[in-house]
């Protein structure tokens, strides 16, 4: 009995120590973030913030409200398309924080009208389709303010991307298996098309079912075929094999397959975070926001990547970021001090537009002209047969190749925008 009493006392003490550590970490992060946000609120011009209603932007806005003497101006856009509209979530958060909120529902025509300008706005073949809503929300925001705070960086620092949880879960279960067995499982998963998998998954409640289930099953199949480094490359790539897509181009050296990175960051989830921070964050996320905002003379500021916040995040034990099935655990605890959990707790949606259906409908002629087989062969960059095969599958609806094809379309649109001298340089 005495032993059980001692064990119970030790357990209570351990739980109290964990809770004290949790609370201390929340206090430290909130203080750092509040100061980082406050420093970026210093401006002699009208100031506001992008608000999607997700964890990152809601945290930034909440900490702006906590130190502003007047209502914070917030901005969001919406689409009347199921699965692509975050405006209702943003509005709920704005109402709770009592911000001066402006939202605009964008029509398909307004969104598509941005596309011809993308090669000029980005001045490179930039293939992230969320560039469209990013430009639109920047354009809306610039009508009212000159500086806007953004929540970018939170996913990389605090393990917000679904691939971190997915990667940890899957690789811990299959990484030990011989590659031949994994390849056999992958072949079995590919027996059904993505659409068939998605249809079968409808028996699972929507709240538990990941979006684009079939595409994720096929991505899992591709993952099972490779090493841990190849696994990560598959998770982030639209065209995992660049040699197949561009047979006459020599690939640049990449951190992704650099074995020294594994030694530098041995933990698998932290390695994915590190690689995203070194590549995806500056080359995609920050580039997208910077060029979209500056195209209409809006200055976007990003408090979550304040160097002190970055240093603090990387010093945290992993359980403060990914705990059980919860991503961004510590950042969420800061937010829950200001916003009810029910307003922001939902599956990660992303910030995009329905490119898949647009390519089969109103954008079909535009895409067809850019991916004309003769044109592709004449330009000499891509495997025309492979692209046409994927285009045909997409048009027929047997596969959703929207992201892969968008990369090609943005390259072709950019190339078409170049002068003859630039094309041959």
């Amino acid at each position: 009995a005495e032993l059980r009493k001692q064990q119970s006392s030790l357990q209570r003490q351990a739980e109290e120590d964990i809770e004290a550590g949790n609370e201390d970490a929340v206090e430290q992060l909130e203080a750092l973030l509040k100061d980082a946000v406050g420093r970026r609120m210093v401006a002699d011009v009208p100031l506001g913030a992008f608000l999607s209603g997700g964890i990152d932007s809601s945290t930034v806005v909440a900490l702006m409200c906590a130190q502003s003497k007047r209502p914070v101006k917030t901005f969001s856009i919406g689409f009347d398309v199921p699965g692509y509209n975050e405006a209702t979530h943003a509005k709920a958060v704005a109402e709770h924080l009592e911000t001066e909120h402006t939202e605009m529902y964008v029509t398909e025509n307004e969104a598509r009208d941005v596309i011809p300008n993308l090669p000029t706005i980005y001045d490179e073949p930039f293939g992230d389709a969320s560039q469209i809503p990013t430009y639109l929300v920047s354009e809306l925001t610039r009508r009212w303010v000159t500086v806007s705070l953004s929540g970018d960086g939170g996913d990389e620092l605090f393990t917000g991307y679904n691939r971190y949880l997915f990667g940890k879960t899957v690789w811990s279960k299959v990484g030990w298996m011989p590659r031949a067995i994994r390849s056999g499982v992958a072949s079995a998963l590919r027996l059904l098309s993505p659409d068939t998998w998605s249809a079968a998954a409808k028996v699972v409640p929507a709240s538990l079912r990941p979006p684009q289930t079939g595409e994720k099953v096929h991505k899992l199949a591709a993952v099972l075929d490779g090493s841990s480094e190849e696994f990560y490359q598959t998770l982030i790539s639209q065209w995992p094999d660049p040699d197949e897509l561009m047979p006459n181009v020599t690939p640049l050296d990449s951190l992704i397959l650099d074995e020294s990175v594994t030694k530098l960051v041995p933990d698998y989830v932290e390695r994915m975070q590190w690689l995203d921070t070194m590549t995806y964050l500056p080359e995609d996320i920050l580039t997208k926001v910077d060029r979209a905002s500056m195209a209409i003379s809006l200055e976007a500021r990003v408090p979550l990547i304040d160097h002190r916040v970055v240093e603090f995040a990387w010093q945290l034990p992993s359980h403060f970021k990914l705990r059980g099935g919860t991503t961004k655990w510590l950042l969420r605890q800061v937010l829950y001090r200001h916003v009810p959990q029910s307003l922001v707790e939902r599956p990660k949606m992303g910030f995009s537009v329905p490119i898949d259906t647009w390519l089969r409908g109103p954008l079909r002629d535009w895409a067809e002209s850019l991916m004309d087989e003769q044109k592709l062969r004449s330009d000499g960059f891509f495997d025309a047969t492979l692209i046409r095969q994927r285009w045909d599958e997409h048009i027929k609806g047997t596969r959703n190749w929207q992201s892969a094809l968008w990369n090609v379309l943005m390259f072709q649109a950019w190339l078409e925008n170049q002068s003859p001298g630039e094309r041959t340089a």
Side-chain angles (χ1 to χ4, degrees):
E2 183 63 28
L3 179 60
R4 285 198 299 271
K5 184 177 179 181
Q6 290 177 356
Q7 290 175 334
S8 177
S9 177
L10 288 171
Q11 183 177 353
R12 284 198 305 272
Q13 184 61 52
E15 291 172 352
E16 290 173 2
D17 290 344
I18 290 172
E19 184 58 36
N22 289 344
E23 191 65 21
D24 183 56
V26 175
E27 290 284 352
Q28 290 185 61
L29 179 58
E30 181 169 21
L32 277 174
L33 288 175
K34 188 174 181 180
D35 185 66
V37 168
R39 288 170 181 263
R40 285 155 185 83
M41 291 173 66
V42 177
D44 55 4
V45 293
L47 172 81
F50 302 136
L51 179 60
S52 69
I55 301 298
D56 302 333
S57 66
S58 297
T59 301
V60 169
V61 171
L63 296 177
M64 291 175 74
C65 293
Q67 50 196 320
S68 177
K69 296 179 180 179
R70 63 187 66 179
V72 172
K73 292 180 170 64
T74 54
F75 304 89
S76 66
I77 60 168
F79 297 92
D80 285 318
V81 180
Y84 292 91
N85 183 32
E86 289 191 311
T88 55
H89 306 296
K91 185 176 182 179
V93 173
E95 288 177 348
H96 176 79
L97 294 173
E98 299 182 344
T99 70
E100 188 178 313
H101 190 58
T102 302
E103 67 176 10
M104 178 180 72
Y105 274 75
V106 180
T107 67
E108 288 189 2
N109 287 337
E110 288 172 324
R112 292 196 302 269
D113 286 346
V114 175
I115 294 174
N117 299 321
L118 293 177
T120 302
I121 293 171
Y122 286 89
D123 199 28
E124 65 174 321
F126 188 83
D128 185 340
S130 63
Q131 62 200 134
I132 298 172
T134 302
Y135 176 81
L136 290 168
V137 75
S138 297
E139 186 179 48
L140 169 66
T141 303
R142 183 61 184 88
R143 298 176 192 174
W144 304 93
V145 301
T146 310
V147 176
S148 182
L149 271 60
S150 170
D152 294 303
D155 287 318
E156 290 80 5
L157 292 178
F158 297 99
T159 63
Y161 292 125
N162 293 330
R163 59 176 167 268
Y164 299 145
L165 182 58
F166 179 77
K168 178 181 180 180
T169 302
V170 172
W171 196 251
S172 66
K173 293 180 178 179
V174 305
W176 60 271
M177 295 169 58
R179 191 160 182 169
I181 295 177
R182 286 191 276 119
S183 295
V185 175
S187 297
L189 292 175
R190 293 190 184 103
L191 290 175
L192 299 180
S193 71
D195 285 346
T196 303
W197 277 114
S198 293
K202 289 182 179 178
V203 300
V204 179
S207 60
L208 302 176
R209 185 175 69 241
Q212 298 180 328
T213 305
E215 296 299 324
K216 285 183 169 57
V217 170
H218 272 245
K219 179 159 279 192
L220 171 61
V223 161
L224 292 172
D225 272 339
S227 64
S228 62
E229 290 78 16
E230 292 168 332
F231 181 2
Y232 171 74
Q233 184 180 42
T234 300
L235 289 174
I236 63 170
S237 299
Q238 306 303 335
W239 295 88
D241 188 352
D243 294 335
E244 181 183 33
L245 176 64
M246 306 181 79
N248 300 319
V249 175
T250 301
L252 297 173
D253 291 336
S254 171
L255 282 174
I256 295 172
L257 298 178
D258 188 336
E259 293 182 359
S260 66
V261 175
T262 303
K263 297 177 182 178
L264 177 67
V265 192
D267 181 84
Y268 191 53
V269 173
E270 288 190 345
R271 187 157 71 250
M272 289 192 284
Q273 283 183 265
W274 188 87
L275 287 166
D276 280 341
T277 302
M278 298 298 292
T279 58
Y280 184 61
L281 179 61
E283 295 170 12
D284 186 312
I285 301 300
L286 298 181
T287 297
K288 174 184 64 181
V289 174
D290 183 62
R291 295 189 189 172
S293 58
M294 291 309 296
I296 38 83
S297 300
L298 175 71
E299 179 186 343
R301 298 178 180 176
V302 192
L304 294 186
I305 58 172
D306 181 291
H307 70 280
R308 297 163 301 161
V309 178
V310 174
E311 289 170 0
F312 178 78
W314 274 101
Q315 290 171 3
L316 287 169
S318 60
H319 69 272
F320 280 111
K321 292 174 276 190
L322 188 59
R323 184 172 295 194
T326 302
T327 59
K328 291 195 278 200
W329 184 87
L330 187 61
L331 190 61
R332 291 173 188 268
Q333 307 317 303
V334 173
L335 177 59
Y336 296 158
R337 291 181 167 191
H338 303 269
V339 175
Q341 184 173 344
S342 59
L343 293 185
V344 293
E345 202 66 43
R346 64 183 187 277
K348 190 174 182 63
M349 183 182 295
F351 191 42
S352 195
V353 286
I355 293 295
D356 55 339
T357 55
W358 290 358
L359 289 176
R360 297 187 185 102
L363 292 181
R364 181 169 178 173
D365 290 342
W366 168 79
E368 190 71 60
S369 67
L370 289 173
M371 294 190 296
D372 174 78
E373 187 165 1
Q374 185 175 349
K375 178 178 176 59
L376 290 171
R377 294 189 189 283
S378 176
D379 290 335
F381 292 102
F382 298 112
D383 183 323
T385 302
L386 176 62
I387 290 173
R388 293 301 305 187
Q389 175 188 337
R390 299 223 170 162
W391 176 237
D392 290 341
E393 290 175 349
H394 187 85
I395 290 300
K396 293 175 182 176
T398 57
R399 293 294 301 270
N400 179 5
W401 293 116
Q402 60 173 352
S403 297
L405 293 171
W406 190 253
N407 279 283
V408 175
L409 288 167
M410 284 296 97
F411 183 93
Q412 290 296 101
W414 168 82
L415 187 65
E416 194 172 70
N417 198 53
Q418 305 304 297
S419 66
E422 290 172 322
R423 289 171 65 100
T424 57

